[in-house]
Amino acid sequence: MSVLTSPRGKTEVVHCRRTELQDIYCIKNLTRKFTQKLFGRLNIIYLLEKANLAITLCNDKEEIMAQATFVDYPNWNIARQDNWVSVFRELDSEIPCTPLNTLFMHLFVAVDEYSVGCCKEIIRTVFKAVPDLHFIFLIVPSYMSLGSTLITVFNQVGSVPCLTFDEDFAVHICHRHSHYPQLHVREARVEDHDHLMPIFMRYDTVLKETYGEYFLAELVEAQDKENHAVVCEVEGVAVGFMSVCSRVNMQLLHECFDLGPFHGLCHPHPDDVLQPPREPSVHGSKDAELRSSSQGSQKTTEEHLKSLSPDGVESIQGKLAEEAVTEELLSTSQSNYGSDMEDIEKLSRISVDEEVDYEVNSKSSASVLLQEEICNFRPTYRGASAAFCIQLFCIDEKHEARSLDFMNFVFSLFPDKDFCIISLPHLTPEFVLIQNFVRMVPFNNCTLEQDLYVFHRAGLLKSINIRLATVLDTPGVENLVSTLMLNKNILDDLNQYNTAHRDTDGTPMQAFVAEVAEQIIGIAVVRNEMDIEYIRSHYNIEDFIYFSHHQHEEHGHLNHFALNPIFRHYTRFFLKEILRLGFKSCLYYPVYPHCRSGKLQSPYAHSLTSALHYLVPVRPRRQIVYPLEKLGINAPSKEVSKDLLNYALNHTNRKLMLEPKITVNAKIVVVGASNVGISFLETLVFCPHLKFNNLTLISTHGLPGKKLLATEQRRFLASDHCFNDKDYALMSLCSWVNVVVGRMTGIDRAAKHVVMSQGEIVLYDHLILCTGQQYQVPCPSGADISQHLTNREVPRSGQQRYNDIVPCNHFTLNDEEDCCKALAWIKNNSITVEGNVIVYGNTIDTYTTVETLLNLGVRGCCIHFVHPPPTSTITCINNYSVESAVADALIAAGVTIYRDALLARWNDGQYPDPIRCASFTTPTKPFRLKCSMFFSFCEKNVDYETFKAFNDACLVYDGRLVIDTNFHTNDVAIRAAGSLTKFSNRYYSNEWTHSNFNSKEIGFQLAAAMLSLFDPTLEPVTEPPADLDRLIPMYKGAKIQGGILPGSYHYLHIAKPAIPTPLEVQMAKPDFGLEIVTGNAKNGNYFRIHINKYKMVETITCLSKETFPASNYIRLFGQHEQVLNNLCARYEDELITDLYSYFMEPWCMALFHDRFIDLRKELRQILTSKEEEDLPSIEQIAHQIEDEEINTREKPQKYLQRVFQETIYKALVEKSILDYLHYNHYHLPMYAWPGII
């Protein structure tokens, strides 16, 4: 916040923010004729799309006072955007302008009265936001004066001619030192104490309370060769302090962190042991090989780290090429710590951890705790320490952006050291200094509760140059990427570029290198993105760009990106230069799924990038399933409808280049890969402005989506249509989430860690429990059927836990891994040829399993479908028509059905493994069945080990884990969601649980509740009134189940969240509404829609012999029947005989479009807004009719229709609909619009 004063003495409190598209109207209003003469006639939207930085200045009423736009190349076409440096060096060789330190002002507008103050405030903000920026240039026609505002900050340095027409342009410059200068750094003196103490006290009082009031003065007085204290000052006043020390406990660091990429922070020594001794061993995972590669690559690190004087920083270039390189070098580990560092004192004001982006899969490869997955070898370093540490750091908030100014001076104090390290408590908010450091990956057994960050001396160099690659760069690139797993791909593409500048298929390509003092320190390969229409139609890239303002050739595909980790903080600059030099405005990077055997999953993509954290993940778009044959020539183009390999898309553009992400280092641990847990992680990962460094998933089988079962195969389990294999591929959660494969057996709430089944621990700051409920092994009643007992005479054992050995041919199917094991057993044991299969249970999964068995070739006469006594009057299908059709199909297939049967014994009470026979009791007489496989689908419950972990941790458990309406358990650090939970009894709503709602929506709401803790852009959460705090939240997403039922019936049921009630009871209610049914269940063309009393679609049930577009039908839920082309009226007039055909007609494709909901919101906003001064809105008129303030002889609906037709609202609604159809024409070409005919 700043205060501006006008020449007339008026004041305004102002603040700066990034420009948004909704600012365009105000920017145009502030544009004067003089502005157009200075900057030319500009398309504001286009300019903002291509700008690197756009700043808007607002007052405290959020009124726009000024706006300025900055780009990394000159305007007025005085030079090509890729070659402006030579022009400006010829202009004035004494101005050391480079692409790194220069921006150009392309627009400035302001409120006249405050224009001078606004201009200075914006310029200061720009210099503060871009620490490497030193010069801002302004190019105007030479005959124009700058006016009274810009002249106050810009000075003319010369003129240059235009490339396209005969006219000269004046070049004006603004220097950093005039607005936000670099800080002067010197050694601290005792007299600085009084200036520095207020700054320290503003952040922390612990040091004063621990060491006394004059601890700072004592620290300054205690300086020696090993300990130094320095300050930065402004106008003679100290505004920042740093204490550094050369004594570092290297042994502790080597035990806790993988320092291989930096040669252990030691000088090379002949006795260094960098590779494990060669001996025969079992081949490990690729990640173990990665570690071996990391260790072997240390041979290429600096062979001799010579002492450097402060004046000889440039001489470091000779050894930069020998430094350990890039992404692949860090080994697998888990970010867990235990105790404080001994020789690195805790800092009073430090930051969150910044994940080292060494490879695409650095998150997942840094995740697994199981020791057998990780190579135990660790290098031994004999050389002297090459590092010093920052013990204490503090700087005034006004000057925080210049924190890096300390580094040149402190390195000069230790000429024999090449690394500066800093140890940070991981929950401390990130600050500017640490953004330039590299975070080191800790080992599994790390006992420190802090993160370690490293900065190399060479990182201070500003002579980095990005240019197009040449043939002469090949040796340097080979040396750079020699340790990378995909080095051959990179070198092949580099050779292809140098040979033809095109890919083998003719696609234009470019290769860029980053160099420092003629040493190659980075390589990137970019192709033209040829599938941009596919990307636009399948991914929400329009969340980030205005697509129509980008030419096709401006979209680039990032294939390779490798950068020396010493210069990691230049990643954004490298990407920005790729866009400038390559004449691109957008870059796209796909991550393809990669399924791996074993416990560790990693997304090995077609290319390598260390820049993933500098890109934003793009949400995939839901696609319409088109009836292509019916649409004919009106179907979407092949570019839109073609079927490519699924991938997760990451993106960046010019607007994002100078926009930092907010780093969140809190350890968020999710237990359970249920749909709720996956939805929670998905929501966090796709927050474009947040970077979560410590997301961890604990799951028995890791992340789902491994495609263990082919898509065309029948699935054993029914689907709730939340996620499928394609969705998992489009998310690539393993790029962002650490995956710990194992089972949770305990929670230590005091120490804040989860205990795994093999004794390992996973630390957390926030624990999210989403384990759900699973099918359990049934506990036989033990009844002896030889005594002819009935169910009434047998003690019920349903609530008892089975403690005996689980038979090898007994299967409880809870996920795809379990299904895959069952499938393998069937194939390996000839179950399809001989042997009885028993399917025991009442759930819909029993029906889908029976159908799968029949489809696999198991004879129907060998399948015994055993139903236990029902626990409810409501069946799993709850539709008599469907149930009777399925029952007939089971009988036709020869499947034997038993009802009300209780499991009595396996193998007549003998040793149960394997099950050879099973006996059951019924209300009449018992029976005994031979058994080769036993599938159990008894009632789901919380796994016993999970329950025991909750119980031992003293979490309140009452049949399920008890939570409040904000997902909290009785521990504020532990949240839970999903079928695992129930609401506390104080809400008096025991019938409602998360099981009644859509799991994906529950996960989203859980993430939304937590984002308020991490996202400063969100409005603060207000506590609800006391009476509302007793109400449970009601979610609106549809509850869905579907699958293939016996008889090869494709089944889908969509309903609103509700307490289960028999269908007959629902239909008997007076306010039931209307039921629309076409077809017949037994004929396989059954389609039922329930329209409630408000004319909204409330329930959809489909049963068909043919496949149908389920994702389309899900979009019908919640729509008004009139939106469905007056569905009720057409049905009553007998115009609809087949709903399947009805919803394949071209008119309804827009209903299935992913942006149709946005159109509905826009139309509602039009009808609720007051478009004319003397005319109330349509909504207000409706309220007036309801309140009888308007007396009309017409029916209310007719009156509203007439008002709508006669006013501006009709035209506005029509325009909105036509704009929607035109903008989404690539998805909806079957619709006509004015002018097409």
Side-chain angles (χ1 to χ4, degrees):
M1 291 285 185
S2 301
V3 178
L4 301 183
T5 304
S6 72
R8 293 190 293 175
K10 294 183 179 180
T11 60
E12 285 279 2
V13 178
V14 297
H15 65 277
C16 287
R17 59 167 173 80
R18 298 294 175 116
T19 301
E20 301 169 352
L21 281 180
Q22 52 262 40
D23 299 340
I24 292 175
Y25 178 77
C26 294
I27 294 172
K28 289 181 178 179
N29 288 340
L30 291 175
T31 302
R32 309 285 185 260
K33 289 185 178 180
F34 179 74
T35 308
Q36 294 182 359
K37 291 179 180 179
L38 276 183
F39 299 102
R41 295 176 64 87
L42 298 173
N43 182 324
I44 304 298
I45 300 178
Y46 179 84
L47 178 62
L48 293 180
E49 278 295 298
K50 301 302 176 70
N52 297 98
L53 185 63
I55 301 294
T56 297
L57 189 77
C58 301
N59 61 15
D60 53 358
K61 299 176 183 177
E62 289 301 319
E63 297 170 338
I64 294 178
M65 305 287 291
Q67 197 277 338
T69 306
F70 303 88
V71 186
D72 58 1
Y73 57 85
N75 55 343
W76 285 113
N77 202 22
I78 64 167
R80 284 170 52 92
Q81 72 178 51
D82 62 336
N83 192 33
W84 62 263
V85 177
S86 58
V87 174
F88 281 76
R89 285 180 179 168
E90 290 177 7
L91 178 68
D92 190 337
S93 59
E94 294 184 0
I95 301 177
C97 59
T98 67
L100 177 65
N101 64 21
T102 304
L103 284 177
F104 297 84
M105 178 182 279
H106 280 223
L107 177 66
F108 173 78
V109 294
V111 174
D112 294 335
E113 189 172 358
Y114 297 92
S115 59
V116 174
C118 289
C119 182
K120 291 182 178 180
E121 183 64 23
I122 286 179
I123 292 294
R124 183 179 179 277
T125 299
V126 172
F127 279 122
K128 185 176 181 179
V130 190
D132 289 322
L133 181 66
H134 285 270
F135 309 107
I136 298 176
F137 283 100
L138 174 61
I139 316 297
V140 300
S142 57
Y143 61 85
M144 289 291 299
S145 67
L146 292 186
S148 59
T149 300
L150 294 174
I151 196 68
T152 61
V153 295
F154 287 96
N155 299 310
Q156 185 169 352
V157 292
S159 61
V160 292
C162 180
L163 293 179
T164 52
F165 49 90
D166 187 17
E167 184 178 344
D168 288 342
F169 288 83
V171 178
H172 301 262
I173 190 171
C174 174
H175 294 270
R176 165 179 286 280
H177 60 73
S178 302
H179 299 273
Y180 197 77
Q182 290 182 266
L183 302 176
H184 173 64
V185 181
R186 58 170 173 80
E187 289 197 7
R189 299 188 289 263
V190 174
E191 50 266 33
D192 296 322
H193 175 273
D194 292 343
H195 294 147
L196 294 172
M197 281 305 294
I199 302 175
F200 271 99
M201 293 303 101
R202 194 175 306 151
Y203 297 114
D204 199 350
T205 60
V206 174
L207 290 172
K208 179 179 178 181
E209 294 168 357
T210 305
Y211 299 107
E213 186 174 355
Y214 299 101
F215 76 92
L216 196 58
E218 294 169 0
L219 187 62
V220 172
E221 287 181 332
Q223 295 183 77
D224 53 31
K225 292 182 179 180
E226 294 182 340
N227 298 276
H228 294 276
V230 298
V231 298
C232 60
E233 64 178 11
V234 175
E235 297 179 353
V237 177
V239 295
F241 177 84
M242 181 180 288
S243 172
V244 291
C245 177
S246 61
R247 287 188 297 106
V248 178
N249 188 340
M250 298 306 299
Q251 180 181 353
L252 180 62
L253 295 184
H254 291 160
E255 290 174 356
C256 296
F257 297 94
D258 182 5
L259 305 177
F262 298 106
H263 200 81
L265 304 180
C266 295
H267 292 292
H269 190 277
D271 296 333
D272 288 341
V273 181
L274 304 180
Q275 284 185 314
R278 298 194 176 189
E279 57 184 44
S281 61
V282 179
H283 292 290
S285 67
K286 287 188 179 180
D287 296 275
E289 295 170 17
L290 200 75
R291 173 178 289 278
S292 177
S293 170
S294 169
Q295 292 146 0
S297 70
Q298 292 172 31
K299 288 185 175 181
T300 66
T301 59
E302 305 158 76
E303 295 181 356
H304 300 286
L305 281 174
K306 299 178 182 179
S307 300
L308 295 176
S309 65
D311 297 328
V313 174
E314 293 290 338
S315 68
I316 199 170
Q317 303 305 332
K319 59 189 177 183
L320 289 184
E322 306 300 324
E323 191 71 52
V325 183
T326 70
E327 305 78 18
E328 305 277 337
L329 300 185
L330 287 193
S331 58
T332 59
S333 57
Q334 171 74 21
S335 303
N336 297 323
Y337 325 104
S339 63
D340 293 341
M341 193 177 219
E342 295 176 10
D343 287 340
I344 299 181
E345 185 173 347
K346 287 185 178 180
L347 306 181
S348 64
R349 180 176 178 268
I350 326 235
S351 133
V352 300
D353 76 339
E354 176 134 341
E355 182 68 30
V356 182
D357 302 322
Y358 283 99
E359 55 179 321
V360 173
N361 63 329
S362 62
K363 295 296 289 184
S364 61
S365 67
S367 63
V368 176
L369 291 173
L370 305 177
Q371 295 293 334
E372 66 268 20
E373 294 287 339
I374 298 175
C375 177
N376 291 321
F377 172 78
R378 294 182 185 176
T380 302
Y381 306 99
R382 308 290 187 187
S385 168
F388 66 92
C389 66
I390 299 176
Q391 291 181 309
L392 203 59
F393 172 69
C394 190
I395 191 169
D396 190 282
E397 187 177 359
K398 293 180 181 178
H399 304 280
E400 184 183 10
R402 301 306 312 169
S403 299
L404 201 62
D405 293 345
F406 276 100
M407 300 310 294
N408 262 315
F409 190 86
V410 295
F411 269 109
S412 70
L413 299 175
F414 301 104
D416 60 330
K417 308 292 185 183
D418 291 320
F419 299 97
C420 175
I421 64 175
I422 185 170
S423 169
L424 312 176
H426 69 276
L427 283 180
T428 309
E430 187 178 61
F431 59 93
V432 174
L433 177 67
I434 213 62
Q435 294 174 358
N436 299 281
F437 282 61
V438 177
R439 176 182 176 270
M440 304 312 297
V441 177
F443 289 125
N444 300 338
N445 60 350
C446 178
T447 59
L448 302 181
E449 292 183 347
Q450 298 183 340
D451 293 339
L452 180 67
Y453 292 82
V454 174
F455 185 88
H456 192 278
R457 180 188 294 270
L460 295 171
L461 298 171
K462 303 297 183 184
S463 57
I464 184 171
N465 178 41
I466 314 298
R467 58 173 175 79
L468 288 168
T470 66
V471 176
L472 299 177
D473 297 322
T474 303
V477 174
E478 287 179 349
N479 188 34
L480 177 78
V481 303
S482 61
T483 60
L484 302 186
M485 295 176 66
L486 294 174
N487 57 357
K488 186 177 183 302
N489 300 48
I490 298 175
L491 295 173
D492 287 348
D493 282 346
L494 177 62
N495 181 61
Q496 180 68 30
Y497 166 74
N498 286 326
T499 302
H501 285 202
R502 289 182 178 272
D503 204 347
T504 52
D505 61 0
T507 303
M509 63 184 299
Q510 297 168 306
F512 301 89
V513 294
E515 65 175 357
V516 176
E518 301 181 356
Q519 297 293 318
I520 302 299
I521 56 97
I523 172 73
V525 177
V526 176
R527 289 174 171 82
N528 280 13
E529 181 53 76
M530 305 306 292
D531 289 322
I532 189 59
E533 290 297 335
Y534 176 87
I535 288 177
R536 182 193 186 190
S537 60
H538 284 71
Y539 298 88
N540 275 306
I541 60 171
E542 287 165 305
D543 287 347
F544 304 99
I545 64 172
Y546 208 118
F547 187 83
S548 60
H549 288 276
H550 298 262
Q551 301 299 317
H552 275 222
E553 61 273 13
E554 290 184 301
H555 298 276
H557 181 109
L558 182 64
N559 278 77
H560 305 288
F561 186 101
L563 184 64
N564 190 309
I566 291 172
F567 300 97
R568 183 199 56 79
H569 53 290
Y570 286 132
T571 302
R572 285 188 188 277
F573 173 67
F574 196 173
L575 293 171
K576 183 171 77 72
E577 283 296 275
I578 290 172
L579 294 176
R580 181 181 70 88
L581 298 174
F583 291 88
K584 304 295 183 202
S585 58
C586 302
L587 286 178
Y588 304 91
Y589 177 72
V591 177
Y592 289 89
H594 184 93
C595 302
R596 296 181 52 189
S597 59
K599 297 181 178 178
L600 184 63
Q601 304 163 58
S602 301
Y604 285 92
H606 72 297
S607 59
L608 173 71
T609 178
S610 61
L612 193 61
H613 273 303
Y614 297 90
L615 310 178
V616 293
V618 185
R619 280 189 177 274
R621 295 180 63 179
R622 186 185 64 255
Q623 298 299 302
I624 302 172
V625 180
Y626 295 98
L628 296 177
E629 293 184 3
K630 195 163 188 175
L631 291 174
I633 61 173
N634 291 323
S637 68
K638 291 183 179 179
E639 288 296 317
V640 172
S641 60
K642 64 183 178 182
D643 190 18
L644 297 181
L645 182 63
N646 299 317
Y647 57 82
L649 185 68
N650 299 278
H651 163 78
T652 193
N653 57 60
R654 299 183 64 88
K655 293 184 295 184
L656 299 176
M657 284 295 95
L658 296 177
E659 187 166 341
K661 291 185 179 182
I662 300 169
T663 302
V664 179
N665 194 38
K667 295 176 183 176
I668 303 173
V669 176
V670 179
V671 182
S674 64
N675 287 330
V676 173
I678 296 299
S679 176
F680 170 81
L681 291 171
E682 177 197 29
T683 306
L684 297 188
V685 163
F686 281 98
C687 290
H689 60 291
L690 300 180
K691 182 176 73 172
F692 289 90
N693 279 334
N694 275 323
L695 292 177
T696 301
L697 173 68
I698 298 175
S699 174
T700 308
H701 301 300
L703 279 169
K706 303 172 200 170
K707 294 188 177 179
L708 300 178
L709 300 174
T711 305
E712 66 274 6
Q713 289 180 336
R714 299 287 197 271
R715 300 299 178 105
F716 284 92
L717 299 176
S719 170
D720 61 3
H721 289 270
C722 288
F723 298 102
N724 54 33
D725 289 337
K726 180 179 179 179
D727 296 325
Y728 295 123
L730 295 174
M731 286 189 286
S732 185
L733 286 180
C734 46
S735 298
W736 311 98
V737 179
N738 302 319
V739 182
V740 179
V741 180
R743 297 177 66 87
M744 176 187 71
T745 58
I747 302 172
D748 190 327
R749 291 167 54 190
K752 280 196 170 183
H753 68 238
V754 173
V755 182
M756 305 300 294
S757 54
Q758 296 188 6
E760 304 89 355
I761 63 171
V762 180
L763 298 180
Y764 69 84
D765 296 307
H766 301 278
L767 181 61
I768 312 299
L769 302 173
C770 302
T771 57
Q773 293 183 319
Q774 295 79 34
Y775 291 115
Q776 306 298 321
V777 178
C779 183
S781 65
D784 185 357
I785 63 170
S786 62
Q787 299 180 13
H788 302 286
L789 299 175
T790 63
N791 288 349
R792 186 179 300 177
E793 299 167 306
V794 175
R796 299 299 294 267
S797 60
Q799 301 301 318
Q800 295 182 13
R801 174 171 169 256
Y802 180 76
N803 293 311
D804 207 343
I805 185 171
V806 178
C808 62
N809 59 341
H810 177 280
F811 295 91
T812 52
L813 307 183
N814 290 299
D815 54 35
E816 197 174 38
E817 297 269 356
D818 296 337
C819 298
C820 190
K821 292 175 183 177
L823 183 62
W825 179 276
I826 292 171
K827 292 180 178 179
N828 296 335
N829 292 274
S830 303
I831 301 299
T832 57
V833 179
E834 57 184 358
N836 284 354
V837 179
I838 299 175
V839 181
Y840 182 57
N842 272 331
T843 65
I844 191 172
D845 292 320
T846 58
Y847 291 95
T848 55
T849 296
V850 169
E851 167 59 20
T852 301
L853 293 172
L854 292 169
N855 186 257
L856 290 172
V858 180
R859 291 175 299 170
C861 61
C862 296
I863 300 175
H864 300 273
F865 195 1
V866 183
H867 294 283
T871 58
S872 170
T873 58
I874 307 164
T875 62
C876 61
I877 296 177
N878 198 20
N879 185 309
Y880 177 76
S881 298
V882 175
E883 290 169 355
S884 60
V886 172
D888 289 348
L890 288 171
I891 294 172
V895 176
T896 309
I897 303 174
Y898 304 85
R899 301 191 184 278
D900 298 332
L902 277 175
L903 177 64
R905 284 182 175 182
W906 285 321
N907 297 345
D908 297 324
Q910 303 301 314
Y911 186 69
D913 190 17
I915 302 174
R916 294 185 177 87
C917 67
S919 54
F920 300 85
T921 59
T922 68
T924 54
K925 62 180 181 178
F927 60 92
R928 183 174 178 271
L929 299 173
K930 290 183 179 181
C931 180
S932 300
M933 287 187 77
F934 191 102
F935 288 91
S936 175
F937 295 97
C938 291
E939 188 176 355
K940 289 186 175 183
N941 210 333
V942 178
D943 179 75
Y944 175 75
E945 288 187 356
T946 304
F947 159 74
K948 189 173 184 303
F950 299 157
N951 192 62
D952 293 346
C954 297
L955 296 177
V956 177
Y957 193 93
D958 180 17
R960 298 186 191 184
L961 189 61
V962 176
I963 60 170
D964 64 11
T965 54
N966 290 318
F967 305 96
H968 285 289
T969 63
N970 56 305
D971 187 323
V972 70
I974 301 178
R975 290 173 170 82
S979 59
L980 163 73
T981 65
K982 62 168 289 188
F983 290 112
S984 172
N985 288 336
R986 72 173 183 266
Y987 298 111
Y988 298 98
S989 298
N990 289 336
E991 291 180 323
W992 287 98
T993 69
H994 285 174
S995 300
N996 298 104
F997 302 104
N998 182 288
S999 297
K1000 192 172 183 179
E1001 185 178 12
I1002 292 291
F1004 170 80
Q1005 295 293 345
L1006 172 60
M1010 287 200 65
L1011 278 175
S1012 60
L1013 301 175
F1014 311 119
D1015 190 351
T1017 64
L1018 296 178
E1019 294 289 333
V1021 178
T1022 57
E1023 291 294 328
D1027 53 342
L1028 293 181
D1029 187 41
R1030 298 291 180 177
L1031 299 177
I1032 63 170
M1034 298 301 291
Y1035 307 113
K1036 298 180 180 180
K1039 186 77 173 170
I1040 307 168
Q1041 68 176 10
I1044 304 179
L1045 304 181
S1048 295
Y1049 290 114
H1050 295 264
Y1051 172 70
L1052 176 69
H1053 181 69
I1054 308 165
K1056 75 169 187 178
I1059 298 171
T1061 308
L1063 179 60
E1064 295 76 12
V1065 176
Q1066 297 176 31
M1067 296 180 65
K1069 294 180 179 179
D1071 59 351
F1072 172 72
L1074 175 67
E1075 181 185 50
I1076 297 177
V1077 179
T1078 64
N1080 182 277
K1082 294 181 181 180
N1083 294 337
N1085 59 355
Y1086 178 80
F1087 201 126
R1088 175 184 180 271
I1089 294 181
H1090 169 216
I1091 308 293
N1092 67 16
K1093 62 180 180 179
Y1094 302 110
K1095 302 294 184 180
M1096 310 292 285
V1097 176
E1098 191 167 283
T1099 308
I1100 301 172
T1101 304
C1102 301
L1103 190 74
S1104 173
K1105 287 281 189 178
E1106 305 294 331
T1107 58
F1108 52 77
S1111 59
N1112 284 0
Y1113 297 161
I1114 291 172
R1115 307 319 308 165
L1116 299 176
F1117 174 80
Q1119 302 284 6
H1120 196 280
E1121 62 89 12
Q1122 288 187 343
V1123 175
L1124 306 183
N1125 211 358
N1126 293 313
L1127 177 65
C1128 293
R1130 288 175 179 271
Y1131 181 74
E1132 290 172 358
D1133 293 340
E1134 299 182 355
L1135 298 176
I1136 300 175
T1137 58
D1138 181 12
L1139 285 170
Y1140 290 103
S1141 299
Y1142 184 73
F1143 290 118
M1144 288 179 64
E1145 294 176 6
W1147 65 264
C1148 63
M1149 292 299 109
L1151 304 180
F1152 308 139
H1153 195 259
D1154 62 326
R1155 293 177 179 163
F1156 183 70
I1157 187 173
D1158 298 326
L1159 173 64
R1160 288 178 55 187
K1161 291 178 180 178
E1162 184 176 332
L1163 296 180
R1164 177 167 180 80
Q1165 185 176 2
I1166 290 173
L1167 297 179
T1168 57
S1169 61
K1170 192 173 182 179
E1171 299 294 338
E1172 296 182 3
E1173 287 295 329
D1174 56 344
L1175 181 69
S1177 68
I1178 296 294
E1179 184 181 49
Q1180 289 173 334
I1181 295 174
H1183 285 305
Q1184 289 173 359
I1185 294 175
E1186 185 179 12
D1187 296 337
E1188 298 182 353
E1189 295 178 11
I1190 296 179
N1191 295 319
T1192 175
R1193 296 179 180 179
E1194 298 176 275
K1195 290 184 178 180
Q1197 186 175 359
K1198 292 287 186 181
Y1199 178 77
L1200 285 172
Q1201 288 178 347
R1202 182 170 59 81
V1203 172
F1204 174 78
Q1205 295 281 345
E1206 295 173 354
T1207 58
I1208 192 175
Y1209 290 102
K1210 181 177 184 291
L1212 292 174
V1213 166
E1214 289 178 348
K1215 182 180 183 302
S1216 179
I1217 294 174
L1218 290 174
D1219 288 346
Y1220 164 79
L1221 293 175
H1222 181 72
Y1223 192 74
N1224 296 287
H1225 176 65
Y1226 54 91
H1227 269 154
L1228 303 170
M1230 65 288 302
Y1231 290 89
W1233 63 86
I1236 197 173
I1237 300 175

